[in-house]
Amino acid sequence: MGKGEADIIIVGGGAAGLMAAIGATKMGAKPLILEKMPRPGRKIMITGKGRCNFTNVKDWFEFSPAIRSNSHFVKPSFQNLKPVDVLDLLEENGLPYVIERGGRAFPASYKASDVIDTLVRTATRGGAKILTDKEVKSIDKIEKVFHVCCADGSEYTSKAVIIATGGLSYPSTGSTGDGYRFAEALGHKIVSCFPSLTALVPQGYKQSQTKGHIDRQTPLSRFGQSLIGLSLKNVQISLYSGQDLVQQEFGDLDFTDGGLEGPIGFAISRNAVKGLLGGGKMKVVIDLKPAVEAEKLAARIRREFPMPPYSYGNILAKLLPKALCHIFRSLVPEPKPEVLAEALKSWTLPLQGYVGYERSVVTAGGVDTGEVSSHAMESRLCRNLFFCGEVLDIDANTGGYNLQCAFSTGMLSGMSAAASVVRD
Ligand SMILES: Cc1cc2nc3c(=O)[nH]c(=O)nc-3n(C[C@H](O)[C@H](O)[C@H](O)COP(=O)(O)OP(=O)(O)OC[C@H]3O[C@@H](n4cnc5c(N)ncnc54)[C@H](O)[C@@H]3O)c2cc1C
């Protein structure tokens, strides 16, 4: 299937790879992207429920706490391409945007495909070439030349390579962890990977006794069926490992076909999955009435619902969403205000497992950032080899932070690779 040559080969045409190509072309290089899927940016298509929350307009001080691993590593690339720079870059290339609550940026059309089109157009206008249906199988460095071999038998050589293959999440988009294999073959350590921003499965929620990874497709139990669709607003969730409090979040929680999701479910998922993988007895305690202390809540129940005329069922119906009434009826069989108030403030769900890469938003872990220069994204072990995006041991919360990290590290890797080609 032939041979080809390029100054820079970018393996993977996702968010990071496309931005790397833009960075390289800015410096006058003509990079070649090899993308294994029929079209670039497949994962971008499903981001933000198809609307693509492509960045979060915050300065470093506010942005960095959302990065859950190695934020110090991201800092130089972030300073080189900030969220406002991403807005400007996309707007200059024909993409109007809107900023929503919390600084989250979306294309004005709310179409993720417009973000992909803009990135592809900007990269190719600058001189980048994108080849699709090109699954890279191996990357070798022989003397100063990289040899990149594809599944179709074609081989490409280059002076520099950027690995932008993403993580393991949603493998149907093309992200199947190939980059870890390439990095290891070139001497790099991989920090253990696990799914993050994923559904947590409470004990007995699914028809499965399995602990740990519980496939999203596993049918719900009767308990799960009674809760699916429930959305709790303004509640507090506390994650425990045994008796130790690990994390506490306030906000909205959803019960889905996967398990616990929604903003605060996702926010605790990284620590929960890590704990479960480490063999910890993880549980969540949900405070359904976080604005009021237990004593005051008990007094309020006593005052507002004198019995009769209220039946216990009526009281529960006034205090709780319908789906939770029968659960609390069995947790607190007698209508005792103190006991009920305590139960409402500490609904405890032991965790059985979590939904895996098949539906997790990001992959935690990846190429060890200690072996990569944060100022150039270049390998410290293999000259002219670069990394960017989720393949690195970087992951962040929801809210546009992950794509911004992919864009920042992508841009810097592309610019540095272009400089390295001139350097050597
Ligand atoms: C459902 C969902 C919703 C999300 N929503 C948001 C959001 O709204 N905002 C946000 O900031 N983040 C969001 N994310 C996270 C974000 O999409 C990722 O963090 C980001 O896409 C990572 O970019 P990347 O380029 O590093 O990897 P990817 O986007 O995964 O791109 C990697 C590319 O490399 C290609 N590739 C892999 N192996 C090979 C190979 N061997 N040869 C050639 N090509 C290869 C893949 O096909 C893929 O195109 C979401 C993720 C998911 C799953």
Side-chain angles (χ1 to χ4, degrees):
M1 283 293 288
K3 284 178 179 278
E5 206 183 309
D7 277 348
I8 302 167
I9 290 175
I10 301 171
V11 184
L18 289 168
M19 194 55 94
I22 294 170
T25 59
K26 260 174 70 137
M27 304 285 287
K30 305 252 180 280
L32 170 67
I33 295 183
L34 299 176
E35 165 55 52
K36 81 164 157 198
M37 300 300 279
R39 297 191 59 190
R42 275 295 304 276
K43 187 171 279 173
I44 299 175
M45 269 314 269
I46 58 167
T47 57
K49 300 197 171 99
R51 304 179 337 145
C52 188
N53 172 201
F54 65 84
T55 187
N56 195 306
V57 191
K58 291 199 166 84
D59 63 17
W60 178 250
F61 185 70
E62 280 192 288
F63 190 102
S64 54
I67 305 176
R68 303 292 289 272
S69 55
N70 299 308
S71 61
H72 61 281
F73 176 83
V74 180
K75 191 174 180 185
S77 59
F78 180 94
Q79 302 297 6
N80 180 58
L81 184 81
K82 300 186 185 75
V84 286
D85 302 326
V86 172
L87 296 180
D88 289 348
L89 180 89
L90 295 179
E91 193 177 41
E92 277 161 21
N93 287 285
L95 188 85
Y97 60 83
V98 289
I99 311 280
E100 286 197 356
R101 186 173 43 86
R104 294 172 308 144
F106 295 85
S109 62
Y110 287 112
K111 279 194 196 150
S113 56
D114 288 348
V115 176
I116 304 170
D117 292 346
T118 308
L119 291 169
V120 168
R121 198 171 51 242
T122 312
T124 49
R125 250 196 225 144
K129 193 169 168 189
I130 304 176
L131 296 181
T132 52
D133 289 311
K134 284 285 177 192
E135 181 182 355
V136 171
K137 280 290 187 194
S138 65
I139 305 171
D140 295 298
K141 193 176 183 197
I142 303 168
E143 296 183 352
K144 286 185 171 180
V145 179
F146 287 95
H147 295 254
V148 179
C149 296
C150 296
D152 63 5
S154 56
E155 188 184 328
Y156 298 85
T157 53
S158 63
K159 292 184 197 158
V161 162
I162 302 175
I163 297 183
T165 45
L168 286 153
S169 309
Y170 275 76
S172 52
T173 63
S175 320
T176 49
D178 301 1
Y180 307 131
R181 195 164 40 80
F182 304 146
E184 272 183 321
L186 292 160
H188 279 266
K189 274 204 295 287
I190 307 300
V191 174
S192 299
C193 295
F194 60 93
S196 183
L197 305 182
T198 195
L200 299 172
V201 186
Q203 192 77 47
Y205 195 83
K206 297 261 190 173
Q207 290 180 33
S208 166
Q209 302 302 316
T210 310
K211 287 193 189 318
H213 177 205
I214 299 172
D215 195 278
R216 180 99 191 187
Q217 305 292 334
T218 309
L220 293 170
S221 64
R222 277 184 64 183
F223 176 55
Q225 273 166 7
S226 70
L227 289 171
I228 184 173
L230 174 65
S231 198
L232 298 173
K233 303 281 174 216
N234 300 324
V235 295
Q236 181 170 284
I237 196 166
S238 305
L239 175 70
Y240 285 87
S241 173
Q243 298 305 311
D244 300 330
L245 177 64
V246 177
Q247 192 179 347
Q248 206 159 50
E249 298 290 336
F250 174 82
D252 301 346
L253 182 69
D254 299 332
F255 291 77
T256 68
D257 61 322
L260 299 179
E261 290 189 71
I264 61 173
F266 273 170
I268 63 162
S269 66
R270 190 183 202 280
N271 283 331
V273 175
K274 205 173 171 187
L276 287 164
L277 285 168
K281 277 196 183 331
M282 309 305 290
K283 67 179 178 195
V284 294
V285 177
I286 301 166
D287 182 346
L288 295 159
K289 306 283 174 191
V292 40
E293 286 163 19
E295 247 173 54
K296 285 192 180 149
L297 183 59
R300 202 187 107 199
I301 295 170
R302 210 177 296 112
R303 193 175 57 244
E304 286 184 23
F305 309 112
M307 265 187 269
Y310 287 104
S311 72
Y312 190 30
N314 289 148
I315 296 174
L316 290 174
K318 295 267 179 198
L319 288 167
L320 287 165
K322 201 170 162 208
L324 292 183
C325 289
H326 73 282
I327 293 175
F328 277 80
R329 186 85 198 228
S330 58
L331 285 174
V332 187
E334 300 291 317
K336 292 184 178 157
E338 287 76 16
V339 185
L340 181 58
E342 202 51 58
L344 292 173
K345 290 193 65 70
S346 56
W347 181 29
T348 303
L349 297 172
L351 295 178
Q352 182 180 338
Y354 55 86
V355 167
Y357 295 119
E358 70 274 12
R359 289 288 287 277
S360 78
V361 173
V362 288
T363 304
V367 173
D368 189 339
T369 54
E371 296 177 344
V372 180
S373 149
S374 60
H375 291 272
M377 296 292 133
E378 186 171 12
S379 162
R380 294 188 195 279
L381 312 176
C382 178
R383 203 168 164 86
N384 293 356
L385 175 68
F386 298 81
F387 297 95
C388 57
E390 210 176 305
V391 72
L392 285 159
D393 179 17
I394 300 169
D395 61 287
N397 292 341
T398 53
Y401 302 101
N402 283 295
L403 281 171
Q404 177 64 42
C405 287
F407 290 147
S408 289
T409 55
M411 173 63 83
L412 184 57
S413 69
M415 293 173 68
S416 309
S420 80
V421 168
V422 180
R423 174 188 70 189
D424 293 343

